């Protein structure tokens, strides 16, 4: 299916009854209009008497900076749709790599349209590695085209990997836990062939030359320290320094990653990454659930972005990130969905609410200030996607990326003047309240409808594609199950840690609560 390259024309002005230029920091403006030119906000001026400050349908509309998604894998076909249920990360990953084939353009188009509906103007798209480099090349082109079609900004992260193909350890250490028949089948399906580091780096640079645009920014994507060798990480650090290109990777998502890294890097994983030159303001790391206080300090010092992905951390048993501590220590924290929002629906406003209340701390503990929550989505997550810092506020010179909410629907029972609008958005806001989205000054979503994209049709096509592979998917399930069982035994027995290693004092994996830290 091919959709007409749309997003709407450049808008010249955005009028709403209320404008929250900097949510949580300033109160709303009334009777004002946002002027737009060449993708930027030019000025904010009193709305003329002939214009309708409540919007075309007479609703009480509220303009805010567009939301961001600081970490995602950009898949329209949901994991549950092909039978992959939530599990501990290490068991979930093999199921993910046994996903069905779907059309990469439609798959990306659907999720980007959903992002637009949620008010997301910028998202990190960490692409999932297909079987071959040729497939990767083709799929990245499809994703870039989908972003241009929908009209949102993406950080197009090119996956890079070269170690620990089957578990955090030698292939043989997990294969040894399987029957001889399964060994061959698991190795055949999941043990990819390694591509030389130089070739991987050159490939990303090539993709950058091909796809970088106003809306698309190609980034280096070492999958994570446990999946990318020191040689690969150092080469990425050097290439990023040379070119200024962004880097995005997973870091300390799970308890087992913490244990593996502490055992593999006795001098400290963050110190090692710093020596490689990887820790810089060009880097975003996803999760950071198991970061220690001193590691947070180092990330803050190097201005590295950490994307939280609160729902995903819950759904994959990774834990609850020390978000309050990160923000207190000055880490640039972003909010990401990771394709695993709480209700499996990519609702970025609800994700912000969950992150806020889950990380607020007990009793009179100092909660995360609400302006920091909005900034985590609108400013920092957008920066993770684009590398730019002119997101997250409605002011002259900032990007004209604006979401318009139906504030009337959110506030019908609320007595006017007793509550700041930002408080109510954080308490009640949801995708269903998002009416319009403007990105780079172009209309992407109009009255809740994504321009130029038929979401229902896309959804139907993807379901059909997956359903047509049902027999093969069911056939794979027993093998995946046995591989997952072996992985459970592997990690529970501590086989991912070097012999003789015991967790140090700063490592939180001995925490009896085991989850909240
Ligand atoms: Zn991820």
């Amino acid at each position: 299916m091919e959709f007409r390259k749309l997003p709407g024309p450049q808008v010249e002005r955005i009028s709403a009854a209320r404008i929250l230029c900097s949510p949580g920091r300033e109160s709303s403006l009334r009777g004002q209009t946002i002027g737009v030119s060449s993708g930027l906000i030019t000025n904010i001026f009193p709305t003329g008497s002939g214009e309708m400050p409540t919007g075309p349908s007479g609703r009480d509309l509220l303009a805010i900076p567009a939301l961001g998604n600081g970490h995602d894998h950009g898949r329209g076909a949901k994991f549950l749709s092909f039978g992959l249920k939530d599990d501990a990360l290490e068991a979930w990953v093999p199921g993910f790599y046994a996903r069905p084939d779907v059309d990469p353009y439609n798959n990306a188009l659907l999720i980007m349209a959903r992002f637009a509906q949620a008010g997301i103007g910028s998202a990190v798209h960490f692409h999932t590695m297909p079987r071959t480099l040729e497939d990767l090349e083709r799929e990245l082109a499809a994703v870039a085209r989908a972003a241009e079609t929908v009209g949102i900004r993406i950080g197009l992260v090119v996956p890079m990997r070269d170690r620990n193909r089957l578990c955090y350890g030698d292939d043989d250490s997990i294969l040894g836990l399987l029957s001889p028949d399964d060994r061959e089948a698991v190795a055949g399906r999941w043990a990819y062939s390694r591509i030389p580091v130089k070739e991987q780096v050159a490939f990303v640079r090539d993709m950058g030359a091909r796809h970088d645009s106003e809306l698309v920014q190609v980034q280096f994507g070492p999958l994570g320290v446990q999946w990318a060798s020191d040689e690969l990480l150092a080469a990425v650090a050097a290439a990023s320094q040379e070119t200024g290109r962004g880097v995005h990777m997973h870091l300390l998502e799970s308890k087992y990653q913490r244990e593996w890294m502490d055992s593999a890097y006795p001098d400290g994983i963050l110190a090692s990454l710093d020596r490689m030159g990887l820790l810089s303001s060009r880097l975003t790391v996803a999760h950071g659930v198991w970061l220690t206080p001193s590691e947070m300090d180092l990330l803050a010092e190097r201005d590295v972005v950490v994307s939280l992905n609160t729902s995903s951390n819950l759904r994959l048993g990774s834990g609850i990130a020390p978000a309050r501590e990160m923000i207190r220590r000055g880490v640039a924290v972003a909010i990401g969905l990771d394709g695993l929002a709480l209700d499996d629906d990519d609702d970025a406003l609800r994700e912000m609410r969950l992150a806020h209340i889950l990380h607020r701390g007990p009793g009179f503990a100092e909660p995360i200030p609400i302006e920091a929550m909005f900034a985590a989505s609108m400013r920092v997550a957008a920066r993770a996607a684009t590398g730019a810092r002119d997101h997250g506020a409605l002011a002259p010179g900032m990007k004209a990326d604006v979401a318009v909410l139906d504030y009337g629907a959110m506030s019908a029972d609320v007595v006017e003047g007793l509550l700041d609008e930002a408080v109510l958005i954080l308490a009640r806001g949801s995708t269903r309240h998002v009416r319009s989205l403007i990105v780079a000054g172009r209309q992407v979503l109009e009255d809740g409808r994504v321009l130029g994209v038929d979401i229902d049709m896309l959804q139907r096509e993807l379901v059909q594609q997956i359903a047509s592979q049902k027999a093969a998917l069911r056939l794979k399930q027993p093998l995946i199950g046995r591989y997952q069982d072996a992985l459970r035994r592997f990690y529970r027995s501590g086989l991912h840690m070097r012999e003789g290693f015991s967790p140090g004092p700063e490592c939180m994996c001995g925490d009896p609560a085991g989850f909240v830290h």
Side-chain angles (χ1 to χ4, degrees), residues 71-73 89 92 126 223 248 250 253 286-287 309 312 338-340:
H71 179 75
D72 212 289
H73 297 273
L89 173 79
W92 184 86
F126 200 140
L223 279 183
H248 191 104
H250 298 89
E253 177 171 0
H287 303 285
N309 319 316
S312 163
D338 199 15
L340 288 162

PDB file of all heavy atoms in Angstrom, residues 71-73 89 92 126 223 248 250 253 286-287 309 312 338-340, ligand 1:
ATOM      1  N   HIS A  71      12.847   6.577  23.431  1.00  0.00           N
ATOM      2  CA  HIS A  71      13.373   5.246  23.087  1.00  0.00           C
ATOM      3  C   HIS A  71      12.242   4.377  22.582  1.00  0.00           C
ATOM      4  O   HIS A  71      11.255   4.161  23.284  1.00  0.00           O
ATOM      5  CB  HIS A  71      14.022   4.583  24.306  1.00  0.00           C
ATOM      6  CG  HIS A  71      14.549   3.205  24.018  1.00  0.00           C
ATOM      7  ND1 HIS A  71      15.706   2.982  23.295  1.00  0.00           N
ATOM      8  CD2 HIS A  71      14.072   1.977  24.334  1.00  0.00           C
ATOM      9  CE1 HIS A  71      15.913   1.680  23.187  1.00  0.00           C
ATOM     10  NE2 HIS A  71      14.930   1.047  23.810  1.00  0.00           N
ATOM     11  N   ASP A  72      12.392   3.887  21.375  1.00  0.00           N
ATOM     12  CA  ASP A  72      11.372   3.003  20.822  1.00  0.00           C
ATOM     13  C   ASP A  72      11.992   2.180  19.714  1.00  0.00           C
ATOM     14  O   ASP A  72      13.091   2.481  19.248  1.00  0.00           O
ATOM     15  CB  ASP A  72      10.167   3.794  20.283  1.00  0.00           C
ATOM     16  CG  ASP A  72       8.875   3.008  20.452  1.00  0.00           C
ATOM     17  OD1 ASP A  72       8.701   2.013  19.722  1.00  0.00           O
ATOM     18  OD2 ASP A  72       8.054   3.375  21.309  1.00  0.00           O
ATOM     19  N   HIS A  73      11.254   1.140  19.307  1.00  0.00           N
ATOM     20  CA  HIS A  73      11.744   0.304  18.210  1.00  0.00           C
ATOM     21  C   HIS A  73      10.826   0.393  16.999  1.00  0.00           C
ATOM     22  O   HIS A  73      11.027  -0.324  16.024  1.00  0.00           O
ATOM     23  CB  HIS A  73      11.929  -1.131  18.696  1.00  0.00           C
ATOM     24  CG  HIS A  73      12.967  -1.222  19.776  1.00  0.00           C
ATOM     25  ND1 HIS A  73      14.309  -1.369  19.518  1.00  0.00           N
ATOM     26  CD2 HIS A  73      12.868  -1.107  21.126  1.00  0.00           C
ATOM     27  CE1 HIS A  73      14.988  -1.369  20.660  1.00  0.00           C
ATOM     28  NE2 HIS A  73      14.138  -1.210  21.653  1.00  0.00           N
ATOM     29  N   LEU A  89      13.317  -9.778  30.519  1.00  0.00           N
ATOM     30  CA  LEU A  89      13.955  -9.322  29.275  1.00  0.00           C
ATOM     31  C   LEU A  89      14.739 -10.429  28.562  1.00  0.00           C
ATOM     32  O   LEU A  89      14.568 -10.630  27.355  1.00  0.00           O
ATOM     33  CB  LEU A  89      14.892  -8.136  29.584  1.00  0.00           C
ATOM     34  CG  LEU A  89      15.740  -7.687  28.397  1.00  0.00           C
ATOM     35  CD1 LEU A  89      14.922  -6.835  27.452  1.00  0.00           C
ATOM     36  CD2 LEU A  89      16.970  -6.924  28.870  1.00  0.00           C
ATOM     37  N   TRP A  92      12.531 -12.751  26.905  1.00  0.00           N
ATOM     38  CA  TRP A  92      11.668 -12.089  25.926  1.00  0.00           C
ATOM     39  C   TRP A  92      12.396 -11.871  24.596  1.00  0.00           C
ATOM     40  O   TRP A  92      11.814 -12.021  23.520  1.00  0.00           O
ATOM     41  CB  TRP A  92      11.215 -10.756  26.541  1.00  0.00           C
ATOM     42  CG  TRP A  92      10.253  -9.963  25.737  1.00  0.00           C
ATOM     43  CD1 TRP A  92       8.894 -10.089  25.721  1.00  0.00           C
ATOM     44  CD2 TRP A  92      10.559  -8.883  24.848  1.00  0.00           C
ATOM     45  NE1 TRP A  92       8.346  -9.157  24.878  1.00  0.00           N
ATOM     46  CE2 TRP A  92       9.343  -8.407  24.330  1.00  0.00           C
ATOM     47  CE3 TRP A  92      11.755  -8.277  24.440  1.00  0.00           C
ATOM     48  CZ2 TRP A  92       9.278  -7.353  23.424  1.00  0.00           C
ATOM     49  CZ3 TRP A  92      11.695  -7.229  23.533  1.00  0.00           C
ATOM     50  CH2 TRP A  92      10.462  -6.778  23.036  1.00  0.00           C
ATOM     51  N   PHE A 126      14.767   2.830  17.161  1.00  0.00           N
ATOM     52  CA  PHE A 126      15.925   1.929  17.198  1.00  0.00           C
ATOM     53  C   PHE A 126      15.520   0.712  16.385  1.00  0.00           C
ATOM     54  O   PHE A 126      14.713  -0.098  16.832  1.00  0.00           O
ATOM     55  CB  PHE A 126      16.236   1.546  18.646  1.00  0.00           C
ATOM     56  CG  PHE A 126      17.638   1.028  18.855  1.00  0.00           C
ATOM     57  CD1 PHE A 126      18.359   1.397  19.975  1.00  0.00           C
ATOM     58  CD2 PHE A 126      18.240   0.185  17.933  1.00  0.00           C
ATOM     59  CE1 PHE A 126      19.652   0.931  20.187  1.00  0.00           C
ATOM     60  CE2 PHE A 126      19.529  -0.271  18.125  1.00  0.00           C
ATOM     61  CZ  PHE A 126      20.236   0.099  19.268  1.00  0.00           C
ATOM     62  N   LEU A 223      23.841  -2.101  20.224  1.00  0.00           N
ATOM     63  CA  LEU A 223      22.632  -2.552  20.927  1.00  0.00           C
ATOM     64  C   LEU A 223      22.734  -2.405  22.442  1.00  0.00           C
ATOM     65  O   LEU A 223      21.740  -2.136  23.110  1.00  0.00           O
ATOM     66  CB  LEU A 223      22.358  -4.024  20.600  1.00  0.00           C
ATOM     67  CG  LEU A 223      21.664  -4.317  19.288  1.00  0.00           C
ATOM     68  CD1 LEU A 223      21.407  -5.799  19.156  1.00  0.00           C
ATOM     69  CD2 LEU A 223      20.326  -3.581  19.203  1.00  0.00           C
ATOM     70  N   HIS A 248      22.928   5.869  20.222  1.00  0.00           N
ATOM     71  CA  HIS A 248      21.838   5.436  21.102  1.00  0.00           C
ATOM     72  C   HIS A 248      22.078   3.972  21.449  1.00  0.00           C
ATOM     73  O   HIS A 248      22.329   3.158  20.563  1.00  0.00           O
ATOM     74  CB  HIS A 248      20.498   5.601  20.370  1.00  0.00           C
ATOM     75  CG  HIS A 248      19.309   5.445  21.271  1.00  0.00           C
ATOM     76  ND1 HIS A 248      18.572   6.517  21.710  1.00  0.00           N
ATOM     77  CD2 HIS A 248      18.746   4.350  21.820  1.00  0.00           C
ATOM     78  CE1 HIS A 248      17.596   6.089  22.494  1.00  0.00           C
ATOM     79  NE2 HIS A 248      17.665   4.777  22.581  1.00  0.00           N
ATOM     80  N   HIS A 250      21.173   0.604  24.573  1.00  0.00           N
ATOM     81  CA  HIS A 250      20.602   0.143  25.834  1.00  0.00           C
ATOM     82  C   HIS A 250      21.708   0.099  26.871  1.00  0.00           C
ATOM     83  O   HIS A 250      22.857  -0.191  26.557  1.00  0.00           O
ATOM     84  CB  HIS A 250      20.017  -1.263  25.664  1.00  0.00           C
ATOM     85  CG  HIS A 250      18.891  -1.335  24.674  1.00  0.00           C
ATOM     86  ND1 HIS A 250      19.088  -1.572  23.346  1.00  0.00           N
ATOM     87  CD2 HIS A 250      17.559  -1.179  24.834  1.00  0.00           C
ATOM     88  CE1 HIS A 250      17.915  -1.570  22.718  1.00  0.00           C
ATOM     89  NE2 HIS A 250      16.968  -1.327  23.602  1.00  0.00           N
ATOM     90  N   GLU A 253      19.751  -2.324  31.721  1.00  0.00           N
ATOM     91  CA  GLU A 253      18.297  -2.470  31.738  1.00  0.00           C
ATOM     92  C   GLU A 253      17.873  -3.483  32.800  1.00  0.00           C
ATOM     93  O   GLU A 253      16.881  -3.278  33.493  1.00  0.00           O
ATOM     94  CB  GLU A 253      17.842  -2.913  30.346  1.00  0.00           C
ATOM     95  CG  GLU A 253      16.350  -3.170  30.212  1.00  0.00           C
ATOM     96  CD  GLU A 253      15.930  -3.391  28.763  1.00  0.00           C
ATOM     97  OE1 GLU A 253      16.803  -3.345  27.881  1.00  0.00           O
ATOM     98  OE2 GLU A 253      14.732  -3.602  28.520  1.00  0.00           O
ATOM     99  N   ALA A 286      19.320   3.912  26.988  1.00  0.00           N
ATOM    100  CA  ALA A 286      17.944   3.555  27.329  1.00  0.00           C
ATOM    101  C   ALA A 286      17.938   2.708  28.591  1.00  0.00           C
ATOM    102  O   ALA A 286      18.788   1.833  28.763  1.00  0.00           O
ATOM    103  CB  ALA A 286      17.319   2.780  26.176  1.00  0.00           C
ATOM    104  N   HIS A 287      17.022   2.998  29.472  1.00  0.00           N
ATOM    105  CA  HIS A 287      16.715   2.257  30.708  1.00  0.00           C
ATOM    106  C   HIS A 287      17.519   2.736  31.923  1.00  0.00           C
ATOM    107  O   HIS A 287      16.983   3.437  32.762  1.00  0.00           O
ATOM    108  CB  HIS A 287      16.829   0.741  30.517  1.00  0.00           C
ATOM    109  CG  HIS A 287      15.941   0.233  29.422  1.00  0.00           C
ATOM    110  ND1 HIS A 287      14.585   0.103  29.588  1.00  0.00           N
ATOM    111  CD2 HIS A 287      16.192  -0.111  28.133  1.00  0.00           C
ATOM    112  CE1 HIS A 287      14.052  -0.332  28.452  1.00  0.00           C
ATOM    113  NE2 HIS A 287      14.996  -0.463  27.553  1.00  0.00           N
ATOM    114  N   ASN A 309      11.699   4.714  30.066  1.00  0.00           N
ATOM    115  CA  ASN A 309      10.887   3.571  29.615  1.00  0.00           C
ATOM    116  C   ASN A 309      10.238   2.821  30.793  1.00  0.00           C
ATOM    117  O   ASN A 309      10.390   1.598  30.943  1.00  0.00           O
ATOM    118  CB  ASN A 309      11.736   2.591  28.795  1.00  0.00           C
ATOM    119  CG  ASN A 309      12.679   3.316  27.869  1.00  0.00           C
ATOM    120  OD1 ASN A 309      12.277   4.278  27.213  1.00  0.00           O
ATOM    121  ND2 ASN A 309      13.916   2.934  27.830  1.00  0.00           N
ATOM    122  N   SER A 312       7.891  -0.256  30.097  1.00  0.00           N
ATOM    123  CA  SER A 312       8.669  -1.378  29.580  1.00  0.00           C
ATOM    124  C   SER A 312       9.446  -2.045  30.716  1.00  0.00           C
ATOM    125  O   SER A 312       9.503  -3.275  30.805  1.00  0.00           O
ATOM    126  CB  SER A 312       9.613  -0.867  28.498  1.00  0.00           C
ATOM    127  OG  SER A 312      10.627  -1.792  28.248  1.00  0.00           O
ATOM    128  N   ASP A 338       9.362   2.535  24.349  1.00  0.00           N
ATOM    129  CA  ASP A 338       9.990   1.242  24.071  1.00  0.00           C
ATOM    130  C   ASP A 338       9.000   0.233  23.484  1.00  0.00           C
ATOM    131  O   ASP A 338       9.172  -0.973  23.644  1.00  0.00           O
ATOM    132  CB  ASP A 338      10.617   0.696  25.370  1.00  0.00           C
ATOM    133  CG  ASP A 338      11.672  -0.380  25.096  1.00  0.00           C
ATOM    134  OD1 ASP A 338      12.109  -0.503  23.945  1.00  0.00           O
ATOM    135  OD2 ASP A 338      12.030  -1.107  26.042  1.00  0.00           O
ATOM    136  N   GLY A 339       7.931   0.725  22.858  1.00  0.00           N
ATOM    137  CA  GLY A 339       6.951  -0.182  22.244  1.00  0.00           C
ATOM    138  C   GLY A 339       6.159  -0.996  23.255  1.00  0.00           C
ATOM    139  O   GLY A 339       5.464  -1.937  22.890  1.00  0.00           O
ATOM    140  N   LEU A 340       6.271  -0.653  24.547  1.00  0.00           N
ATOM    141  CA  LEU A 340       5.658  -1.484  25.588  1.00  0.00           C
ATOM    142  C   LEU A 340       4.927  -0.625  26.613  1.00  0.00           C
ATOM    143  O   LEU A 340       5.090  -0.806  27.826  1.00  0.00           O
ATOM    144  CB  LEU A 340       6.743  -2.316  26.293  1.00  0.00           C
ATOM    145  CG  LEU A 340       7.336  -3.468  25.473  1.00  0.00           C
ATOM    146  CD1 LEU A 340       8.664  -3.922  26.052  1.00  0.00           C
ATOM    147  CD2 LEU A 340       6.372  -4.637  25.403  1.00  0.00           C
TER     148      LEU A 340
HETATM  149 ZN1  LIG B   1      14.693  -0.985  23.671  1.00  0.00          ZN
END
